[in-house]
Amino acid sequence: MTKTGAQAEGGEGPLAIICGGGSLPNAVAKAVTERGRPVILLALRGFADVEQIAGFPHHWIGIGKYGVFRRIIERHGCRDIVFIGSVVRPGLRHLEFDWATLMLVPRLMGLFRGGDNHLLSGLLRILEQDGFRVLGAHEVAPEITVPEGCLGRFAPSDRDRSDIVRGMDLIAAIGPFDVGQAVVVANHHVLAVEGIEGTDQMLARIADLRRAKRIRMPQGTGVLVKAPKPQQDRRVDLPSFGPHTIDGIVQAGLAGIAILAGETVIAEPARVSDAADRAGVFVVGLPSSQRGTST
Amino acid sequence: MTKTGAQAEGGEGPLAIICGGGSLPNAVAKAVTERGRPVILLALRGFADVEQIAGFPHHWIGIGKYGVFRRIIERHGCRDIVFIGSVVRPGLRHLEFDWATLMLVPRLMGLFRGGDNHLLSGLLRILEQDGFRVLGAHEVAPEITVPEGCLGRFAPSDRDRSDIVRGMDLIAAIGPFDVGQAVVVANHHVLAVEGIEGTDQMLARIADLRRAKRIRMPQGTGVLVKAPKPQQDRRVDLPSFGPHTIDGIVQAGLAGIAILAGETVIAEPARVSDAADRAGVFVVGLPSSQRGTST
């Protein structure tokens, strides 16, 4: 379903950017504007950060306000839509519906049964049925993705590289289950697999296990390996990381992070690189040829 | 490497039971004694529980005291050895070595690099090289394993059964990575995969995510699915669960637990069944034909 590059660049009118939390909505808006295309930010109430949104034309909308959303983007003549920024899946009882959303309820209900990828892919299908085109943030703003190679001064050792291969293979094996996009491997030993708790909590768990002496490997052992699931729709579920991930890695006593390049977004790359260099950890972007194979 | 039933029952002399923590060493000693075979318990200092050991002939030994261990079991004429009970892998600097263990250091060092299964399988090879026979607790005391079928009053619903199939398939997929033996699946959605933190901490994580409203499914949704890895050596790494697992399931708001029968040990089955019935959760033992298939 992903558009080809040619289609993705052929948009007319401003790009509608639906903004969750964090600094990425700002980075995408900036990159798209610099390429000469106007943007309209739809800031999700309760998720988007005021200071990240303020510098661009924007509207605040509540989740569930599909009618409001459609009126705004149609008024601005938007056809292309990008989702970016963090959102936590809301419970139905916390949503305030408008009439247009109520009309969608039958279509939405079926979507609440699967994983996040399933839910968001379904929302995407609804937007497409309504004539909109949903693009990936990595398509409209490739400069926000992780480049191949080392980001800071440090590089993975041979042992780290072997852990990275094992991690990529494990991620490939669990891909069909629509579960975590990250694992921690140390000395060929799988320490953690990400579930719905997310990468930050998984790293915090490793830090706890170290404090409890349940992990006794020396500091600087092990790698956080992160890759989007092969069948994942990048337009709605693009893995991302930023400076706080470096903090998490340091707390967990790992040697570094390996991420599939191009398909993973990096928030505030300069701060990530500085933080990694200060902490002595590596950040490496892997070419897609190093995606794992299921054993 | 697992012995056949005929070999396993052909032992002579008392059975040496190396005892970690919890009530299982007591249950195994009781079952073996009732079958008419004498036992000698080797209680691991820092792990075994005094009250579980007291009723049987026993010796306390420190981990790393391989020389002491050999002298004791040879004096008693033991040839067969069983490992049972919980141990957390100790750090090398917390071990006190005797001379015989020091001689093993070169053999042991290589073993500290892999997962638990790798380490314990290696210890087992060393014992076999020294002429001992290591049996599985499930072989000498099959009555301690989970039987097929429902243990208490409650049974899995159709939805639970579908979650169980998905969980078993996921466990099969991650089997080659020597990682967790348990997952949590709710409504076809994988919530957690066990890493080195263990089942209890994984369940506590689900409870936390519920409290934080990051899981919003109704109470009584989801299943803990637990199965030993297919290539796991049951003699050194037999999955087990007991009454505290039921507490964990209740805290996590799950509907029940599904476990591969015969190859998983159950501590205090009467208390498990009572606790499950009181809490309204199911405990089901699955035949090995329901072991998952990697997709």
Side-chain angles (χ1 to χ4, degrees):
Chain A
M1 292 206 306
T2 306
K3 310 293 181 183
T4 66
Q7 284 178 291
E9 299 192 2
E12 292 163 286
L15 177 69
I17 305 177
I18 302 178
C19 305
S23 63
L24 285 171
N26 187 282
V28 172
K30 196 158 164 262
V32 172
T33 304
E34 281 171 3
R35 286 168 174 246
R37 185 169 186 187
V39 297
I40 300 295
L41 275 53
L42 288 305
L44 292 176
R45 221 184 289 285
F47 298 102
D49 297 331
V50 174
E51 65 273 28
Q52 302 291 343
I53 300 303
F56 298 93
H58 65 275
H59 299 270
W60 287 89
I61 56 167
I63 280 194
K65 300 285 189 182
Y66 187 64
V68 174
F69 167 77
R70 281 198 57 166
R71 274 196 301 281
I72 293 171
I73 66 171
E74 281 168 2
R75 194 171 67 221
H76 286 282
C78 301
R79 189 185 153 223
D80 295 346
I81 299 171
V82 160
F83 289 97
I84 190 74
S86 57
V87 285
V88 171
R89 182 159 50 155
L92 278 177
R93 68 196 169 83
H94 287 92
L95 302 182
E96 287 175 45
F97 292 117
D98 62 14
W99 286 103
T101 305
L102 273 181
M103 298 297 132
L104 291 178
V105 167
R107 286 199 265 169
L108 282 169
M109 287 308 289
L111 306 175
F112 265 81
R113 298 198 50 198
D116 279 321
N117 197 21
H118 181 180
L119 173 68
L120 288 165
S121 301
L123 284 173
L124 187 150
R125 276 198 305 280
I126 290 174
L127 287 167
E128 288 181 332
Q129 283 165 14
D130 288 346
F132 298 107
R133 187 164 70 161
V134 181
L135 305 174
H138 63 307
E139 295 174 296
V140 296
E143 47 274 83
I144 66 165
T145 66
V146 176
E148 287 182 26
C150 291
L151 195 69
R153 285 193 296 127
F154 296 91
S157 68
D158 287 347
R159 189 190 64 197
D160 297 330
R161 290 203 174 272
S162 151
D163 286 343
I164 290 168
V165 170
R166 190 157 174 84
M168 282 287 174
D169 287 345
L170 174 53
I171 290 175
I174 61 178
F177 295 91
D178 198 15
V179 64
Q181 309 170 72
V183 299
V184 176
V185 182
N187 251 342
H188 212 62
H189 188 181
V190 178
L191 302 185
V193 179
E194 184 181 317
I196 57 161
E197 74 277 13
T199 304
D200 295 346
Q201 281 200 28
M202 178 178 65
L203 289 174
R205 181 157 88 236
I206 300 292
D208 286 344
L209 289 164
R210 251 189 204 282
R211 271 189 293 273
K213 310 274 187 233
R214 297 210 19 222
I215 296 172
R216 292 168 177 281
M217 301 180 201
Q219 289 281 325
T221 310
V223 183
L224 169 66
V225 183
K226 212 168 149 69
K229 288 163 273 185
Q231 81 285 28
Q232 185 170 326
D233 190 327
R234 309 276 181 272
R235 294 174 296 168
V236 287
D237 199 4
L238 199 56
S240 68
F241 84 109
H244 71 285
T245 313
I246 302 297
D247 295 342
I249 283 168
V250 172
Q251 296 297 319
L254 304 181
I257 172 172
I259 320 141
L260 209 61
E263 298 175 356
T264 303
V265 153
I266 179 168
E268 306 178 80
R271 278 188 58 203
V272 167
S273 175
D274 286 352
D277 286 353
R278 269 198 313 276
V281 302
F282 67 81
V283 176
V284 64
L286 305 174
S288 59
S289 60
Q290 286 183 40
R291 182 183 280 289
T293 49
S294 194
T295 50
Chain B
M1 294 207 304
T2 306
K3 310 292 180 184
T4 66
Q7 283 177 288
E9 299 193 1
E12 292 162 285
L15 177 69
I17 305 177
I18 302 178
C19 305
S23 63
L24 285 170
N26 186 282
V28 172
K30 196 158 165 263
V32 172
T33 304
E34 281 171 3
R35 286 169 173 244
R37 185 169 186 187
V39 296
I40 301 295
L41 276 52
L42 288 306
L44 292 176
R45 221 184 288 284
F47 298 103
D49 298 330
V50 174
E51 66 272 26
Q52 302 291 344
I53 300 303
F56 299 93
H58 65 275
H59 299 270
W60 287 89
I61 55 167
I63 280 194
K65 300 286 188 182
Y66 188 63
V68 174
F69 167 76
R70 281 198 56 167
R71 275 195 302 281
I72 293 171
I73 66 172
E74 281 168 2
R75 194 170 68 223
H76 286 283
C78 300
R79 188 184 153 224
D80 295 347
I81 299 171
V82 160
F83 289 97
I84 190 74
S86 57
V87 285
V88 171
R89 182 159 49 155
L92 277 177
R93 69 195 169 83
H94 287 91
L95 301 183
E96 288 174 44
F97 291 118
D98 63 13
W99 285 104
T101 304
L102 274 180
M103 298 298 132
L104 290 178
V105 167
R107 285 200 266 170
L108 283 169
M109 288 308 289
L111 306 176
F112 264 82
R113 297 196 50 198
D116 279 321
N117 197 21
H118 180 181
L119 173 68
L120 288 164
S121 301
L123 285 172
L124 187 149
R125 277 197 305 279
I126 290 174
L127 287 167
E128 288 181 333
Q129 282 164 13
D130 288 346
F132 298 108
R133 188 164 68 160
V134 181
L135 305 174
H138 63 306
E139 295 174 297
V140 297
E143 47 275 81
I144 66 165
T145 66
V146 176
E148 288 182 25
C150 292
L151 196 68
R153 285 192 295 128
F154 295 92
S157 68
D158 287 347
R159 188 190 64 197
D160 297 330
R161 291 203 174 272
S162 152
D163 286 342
I164 290 167
V165 170
R166 189 156 174 86
M168 282 287 173
D169 287 345
L170 174 53
I171 290 175
I174 62 178
F177 296 90
D178 198 16
V179 64
Q181 309 170 70
V183 299
V184 176
V185 183
N187 250 343
H188 212 63
H189 187 182
V190 178
L191 302 185
V193 179
E194 184 181 317
I196 57 162
E197 74 277 13
T199 304
D200 295 347
Q201 281 200 27
M202 178 178 66
L203 289 174
R205 181 157 88 237
I206 299 293
D208 286 343
L209 289 164
R210 250 190 205 282
R211 270 189 294 272
K213 310 275 188 231
R214 297 215 10 226
I215 297 172
R216 292 169 178 282
M217 300 179 200
Q219 290 283 325
T221 310
V223 183
L224 169 66
V225 183
K226 211 168 149 67
K229 288 162 272 185
Q231 82 286 26
Q232 186 169 327
D233 189 328
R234 309 276 180 273
R235 294 174 295 167
V236 287
D237 199 4
L238 199 56
S240 67
F241 84 110
H244 71 284
T245 313
I246 303 296
D247 295 342
I249 283 168
V250 173
Q251 296 298 320
L254 304 181
I257 172 172
I259 319 141
L260 209 60
E263 299 175 356
T264 303
V265 153
I266 179 168
E268 305 177 81
R271 278 188 58 203
V272 167
S273 175
D274 285 353
D277 285 354
R278 269 197 313 276
V281 301
F282 67 81
V283 177
V284 65
L286 304 174
S288 58
S289 60
Q290 286 184 41
R291 180 183 283 288
T293 48
S294 193
T295 51

